[in-house]
Amino acid sequence: MNRGELWGESGKERRDPGGWWVTILLGHRSEGKLKHYFLHPGTLLLMTLTLVFFSYGFLTPSRQALGGLGAESRMVYPQPMALTPARRDVLVLTPWLAPIIWEGTFNIDILNEQFRLQNITVGLSVFAVKKYITFLRLFLESAEQHFMVGYRVTYYVFTDRPADVPQVGLGPRRRLAVLPVRSYPRWQDVSMRRMQMISQFLEQPSRQEMDYLVCADVDMKFQDHVGVEILTPLFGTLHPGFYTSKRDAFTYERRPQSQAYIPHDQGDFYYMGAFFGGSVAEVHRLTKACHEAMAVDRANNIEAVWHDESHLNKYLLLRKPTKVLSPEYLWDLHMLPWPSVLKKLRFVAVHKNHQEIRNR
């Protein structure tokens, strides 16, 4: 058939001097013959565009829903270069390929865009037992300024003094939950029982309301941004006193009788117990394992040298963290000067008299 020739309903040849015509078969018969209808190319184009528009809206709702984020995803930022490391002065990757988080190794705008698409909720647990309740207000107020700003956050305050929990103004999508716990005569027992209490808490239905849990000491304050760059299945934080030390200088538990035992020729880093976390499932595994290990030690009448922190280090040696936080995320200016390798100090210790606070 030549261009411009189609058969009409009479069976005779029909010509279109301006271009193609299209026959539409509608299934209607008249006098035993199938009727044909002819559309002009302009009408056909309009119908096609209309169908494409409506099929995009109705058949691909997930893509339609993300359409509003298209402009955000085309953000402008410096291109990462394969032969140009983000930092040359520090280790940025562990031997098991976990990133070590320092200022200058991540773009928080890119990370925020990715995590906001996931609509996450982050829990922050803290123990305010005995006189440590006095640190809670500063902890919460500083967290409101610097911790996971813009995300849904629930503060889980474990305390033996619920009536003394301060009233702190919380931002949108942020709330505080008070969890009463018993106290113990020794501060060491309070410290070690944290693993048990967190583990049991994560076995409750309330664990379903969060995606990640960060566990922190209360006698600290947030001084700079701490955001989604720390989120991962499991993270630990480098101890500020040992991040430059060799493994045989780490204060691991060295007695083979303890479940926290680590020989002198083993160990990656020394992690501090004041800041760790990850996904709810992984934090539950960690705290449950550490609690059970401490129960075995207790039955054998032995107590690890640094209590729950010793067991945390043993756990993270055997089950490597998927991210490691640099000492930016845990520092004590009252005991250590600010080294030039740390571009920021994000989570810092509050000055205190340990003897006055711990056993009262």
Side-chain angles (χ1 to χ4, degrees):
M1 184 181 296
N2 295 326
R3 182 180 184 274
E5 297 180 356
L6 283 174
W7 293 101
E9 60 178 294
S10 65
K12 295 181 179 179
E13 182 179 344
R14 182 180 182 95
R15 295 185 179 275
D16 168 32
W20 286 94
W21 289 81
V22 177
T23 305
I24 304 296
L25 303 180
L26 297 180
H28 174 71
R29 290 182 176 273
S30 176
E31 298 180 354
K33 294 183 179 180
L34 188 65
K35 281 202 170 186
H36 299 68
Y37 297 86
F38 300 93
L39 296 178
H40 189 275
T43 305
L44 176 64
L45 177 60
L46 179 61
M47 290 179 62
T48 302
L49 291 175
T50 303
L51 288 172
V52 169
F53 175 80
F54 281 102
S55 66
Y56 179 83
F58 291 107
L59 298 180
T60 56
S62 60
R63 293 185 63 186
Q64 177 85 350
L66 295 177
L69 298 175
E72 296 180 27
S73 64
R74 290 190 292 273
M75 58 195 307
V76 178
Y77 54 87
Q79 177 191 350
M81 302 301 294
L83 300 181
T84 305
R87 293 280 296 264
R88 297 177 182 271
D89 55 340
V90 292
L91 182 68
V92 298
L93 195 67
T94 69
W96 58 92
L97 301 181
I100 305 177
I101 310 303
W102 307 81
E103 176 67 13
T105 62
F106 61 90
N107 185 315
I108 192 58
D109 295 325
I110 299 175
L111 289 171
N112 277 334
E113 183 168 342
Q114 297 304 307
F115 275 93
R116 281 172 182 150
L117 291 175
Q118 300 175 39
N119 197 28
I120 61 168
T121 297
V122 181
L124 178 59
S125 73
V126 62
F127 282 75
V129 179
K130 295 186 175 182
K131 277 197 172 183
Y132 279 88
I133 191 74
T134 60
F135 299 106
L136 184 58
R137 177 179 294 277
L138 178 59
F139 178 91
L140 293 172
E141 288 178 345
S142 65
E144 280 296 289
Q145 293 179 345
H146 301 295
F147 181 77
M148 301 292 167
V149 176
Y151 291 89
R152 283 201 307 268
V153 172
T154 300
Y155 301 106
Y156 296 101
V157 177
F158 295 78
T159 182
D160 60 338
R161 303 180 182 182
D164 295 334
V165 173
Q167 297 293 320
V168 175
L170 303 180
R173 304 198 304 165
R174 300 168 82 93
R175 68 184 188 90
L176 187 148
V178 177
L179 305 174
V181 297
R182 60 165 292 191
S183 181
Y184 292 88
R186 300 188 312 144
W187 69 266
Q188 295 93 333
D189 293 316
V190 173
S191 180
M192 289 189 291
R193 290 289 180 176
R194 292 186 303 177
M195 294 295 190
Q196 177 185 8
M197 295 176 189
I198 294 173
S199 172
Q200 291 175 345
F201 163 65
L202 292 178
E203 292 169 358
Q204 304 302 315
S206 56
R207 65 174 287 181
Q208 299 177 2
E209 64 189 23
M210 59 181 160
D211 303 290
Y212 297 91
L213 179 64
V214 177
C215 306
D217 278 6
V218 71
D219 53 345
M220 307 282 293
K221 68 176 181 178
F222 293 91
Q223 184 169 285
D224 209 317
H225 164 89
V226 175
V228 294
E229 75 278 1
I230 74 173
L231 298 182
T232 186
L234 183 62
F235 75 82
T237 306
L238 299 183
H239 193 296
F242 295 104
Y243 72 103
T244 62
S245 302
K246 294 186 177 181
R247 58 166 57 132
D248 60 356
F250 294 161
T251 55
Y252 289 151
E253 173 54 61
R254 302 300 189 181
R255 293 170 293 176
Q257 298 89 343
S258 172
Q259 297 295 302
Y261 168 64
I262 299 176
H264 283 275
D265 61 349
Q266 293 185 26
D268 303 311
F269 305 103
Y270 190 91
Y271 304 99
M272 197 164 183
F275 203 60
F276 66 92
S279 69
V280 170
E282 288 298 328
V283 174
H284 180 241
R285 291 188 187 98
L286 181 153
T287 53
K288 187 173 187 291
C290 288
H291 164 59
E292 292 173 347
M294 284 185 278
V296 173
D297 273 7
R298 196 176 303 113
N300 292 328
N301 199 29
I302 189 170
E303 189 174 278
V305 59
W306 287 110
H307 319 108
D308 52 320
E309 184 174 273
S310 297
H311 290 275
L312 172 71
N313 273 276
K314 178 63 174 290
Y315 185 92
L316 294 180
L317 172 62
L318 300 179
R319 298 167 181 81
K320 310 294 190 188
T322 51
K323 277 185 184 178
V324 175
L325 305 189
S326 72
E328 293 176 8
Y329 293 87
L330 213 163
W331 197 257
D332 190 340
L333 282 170
H334 307 286
M335 298 182 66
L336 299 165
W338 186 340
S340 59
V341 73
L342 301 185
K343 309 301 182 185
K344 292 187 175 183
L345 297 183
R346 305 175 187 276
F347 191 46
V348 298
V350 176
H351 183 63
K352 55 194 166 292
N353 184 325
H354 287 285
Q355 294 302 319
E356 181 183 347
I357 294 292
R358 279 179 169 171
N359 293 319
R360 299 186 181 185

